[in-house]
Amino acid sequence: MDNKETLFLIQNLTHQAINPMNGVIGTLDNLVEGTVPEYKKEQKLKQARSQLEYTVSLIRNLSYFAVYASGNKELTSTKSISTTVIPQAIIESAQFFQEQGPKSPVKVELVDRHIQNCIKGDPNLFKQVVINLIDNGVKYGRSGSVLTIKNWIQKKTNDLIVTFTGESESFSSDDKIFDIGVRSKCAIDRTSSGSGLGLHICKLIIENVFDGVIDASHSSSGVTTFEIRIPNGFVK
């Protein structure tokens, strides 16, 4: 990675650390203002702790991202030392956006959360992918729409498939939205914020850590789908 790419990477990680910290601030504000029912206070405090733990983990991972970007499989493979429970990772990732509540224009919905599909690999890295994709869906989704997340094992290949589907701004294959620093024209028109690195980091992690692939498509009816495919060698 050159200096420019390294700078982009650091900016994106800073952005990803800000998301959970904003969640903690929202939780503390609600607790101070007394808007949280007594029976929910413990749950909210646990969520805030989880968000802080994730931020610490994210900062610790900063030094490793140059390695992930290099594509060195010997150094990046973690399939033998850790397990990611997919529904748990998705639920914990979605909690970072929960404090937005009615302020969020998009509802996040996980289908079949009771199906405990698992993969070999670092849960924190997989959660970063999910957070990036949810952030993308919420930021560019149409007001009042639903971002639906599904996961299943494909019978023919035994690969794990995870999809994120919602109504959002359009893009074309020419936009190359997974390239470093790239943002589609519609995304730029919609909001000036964003480093153009969230989807690139998703690609780095899925390909370099989980040997998988990530694709995106946008239909003429206005539905956008991001699909993650992780090969059966990583599925537990």
Side-chain angles (χ1 to χ4, degrees), residues 50-76:
S50 175
Q51 291 166 328
L52 288 173
E53 287 176 345
Y54 174 79
T55 304
V56 170
S57 176
L58 184 62
I59 293 170
R60 285 175 177 169
N61 282 334
L62 177 59
S63 63
Y64 296 104
F65 268 89
V67 177
Y68 296 143
S70 73
N72 188 325
K73 297 296 182 66
E74 182 179 351
L75 295 176
T76 61

Side-chain angles (χ1 to χ4, degrees), residues 6-78:
T6 301
L7 178 60
F8 275 140
L9 191 59
I10 292 172
Q11 288 174 334
N12 184 73
L13 288 171
T14 302
H15 173 69
Q16 295 308 316
I18 288 172
N19 283 338
M21 293 303 293
N22 279 337
V24 173
I25 291 170
T27 296
L28 294 178
D29 284 346
N30 290 336
L31 289 170
V32 170
E33 293 168 3
T35 59
V36 179
E38 188 67 32
Y39 72 94
K40 281 191 175 182
K41 287 183 178 179
E42 182 177 355
Q43 175 191 358
K44 294 296 184 182
L45 287 171
K46 287 181 178 179
Q47 288 176 358
R49 177 180 174 81
S50 175
Q51 291 166 328
L52 288 173
E53 287 176 345
Y54 174 79
T55 304
V56 170
S57 176
L58 184 62
I59 293 170
R60 285 175 177 169
N61 282 334
L62 177 59
S63 63
Y64 296 104
F65 268 89
V67 177
Y68 296 143
S70 73
N72 188 325
K73 297 296 182 66
E74 182 179 351
L75 295 176
T76 61
S77 178
T78 57

Side-chain angles (χ1 to χ4, degrees), residues 13-218:
L13 288 171
T14 302
H15 173 69
Q16 295 308 316
I18 288 172
N19 283 338
M21 293 303 293
N22 279 337
V24 173
I25 291 170
T27 296
L28 294 178
D29 284 346
N30 290 336
L31 289 170
V32 170
E33 293 168 3
T35 59
V36 179
E38 188 67 32
Y39 72 94
K40 281 191 175 182
K41 287 183 178 179
E42 182 177 355
Q43 175 191 358
K44 294 296 184 182
L45 287 171
K46 287 181 178 179
Q47 288 176 358
R49 177 180 174 81
S50 175
Q51 291 166 328
L52 288 173
E53 287 176 345
Y54 174 79
T55 304
V56 170
S57 176
L58 184 62
I59 293 170
R60 285 175 177 169
N61 282 334
L62 177 59
S63 63
Y64 296 104
F65 268 89
V67 177
Y68 296 143
S70 73
N72 188 325
K73 297 296 182 66
E74 182 179 351
L75 295 176
T76 61
S77 178
T78 57
K79 66 179 182 179
S80 63
I81 61 173
S82 205
T83 297
T84 296
V85 181
I86 300 302
Q88 178 182 340
I90 293 172
I91 290 170
E92 291 176 359
S93 299
Q95 286 177 347
F96 299 143
F97 301 87
Q98 190 172 13
E99 289 304 323
Q100 296 178 19
K103 298 178 183 178
S104 175
V106 177
K107 179 182 178 182
V108 180
E109 181 178 293
L110 172 61
V111 178
D112 293 332
R113 63 179 61 200
H114 62 283
I115 300 177
Q116 301 294 295
N117 292 320
C118 299
I119 56 174
K120 303 168 187 175
D122 189 336
N124 288 323
L125 289 177
F126 187 82
K127 282 194 287 186
Q128 186 174 356
V129 172
V130 176
I131 286 174
N132 284 353
L133 292 175
I134 293 177
D135 183 49
N136 189 81
V138 169
K139 186 181 296 180
Y140 303 118
R142 293 178 182 169
S143 182
S145 64
V146 178
L147 177 65
T148 303
I149 308 175
K150 298 180 181 180
N151 78 101
W152 71 93
I153 304 297
Q154 190 176 58
K155 291 182 179 180
K156 184 177 179 179
T157 63
N158 284 325
D159 293 347
L160 172 73
I161 310 294
V162 186
T163 59
F164 299 73
T165 305
E167 300 177 35
S168 71
E169 299 297 327
S170 64
F171 61 87
S172 70
S173 58
D174 294 335
D175 287 331
K176 298 181 179 178
I177 59 175
F178 291 104
D179 284 0
I180 190 167
V182 171
R183 299 179 68 209
S184 70
K185 182 181 183 303
C186 288
I188 295 172
D189 291 341
R190 175 73 175 268
T191 174
S192 60
S193 64
S195 64
L197 279 172
L199 296 181
H200 180 68
I201 294 227
C202 291
K203 180 180 175 69
L204 288 179
I205 293 174
I206 294 300
E207 290 184 353
N208 293 342
V209 179
F210 297 102
D211 281 353
V213 293
I214 180 170
D215 292 305
S217 62
H218 185 80

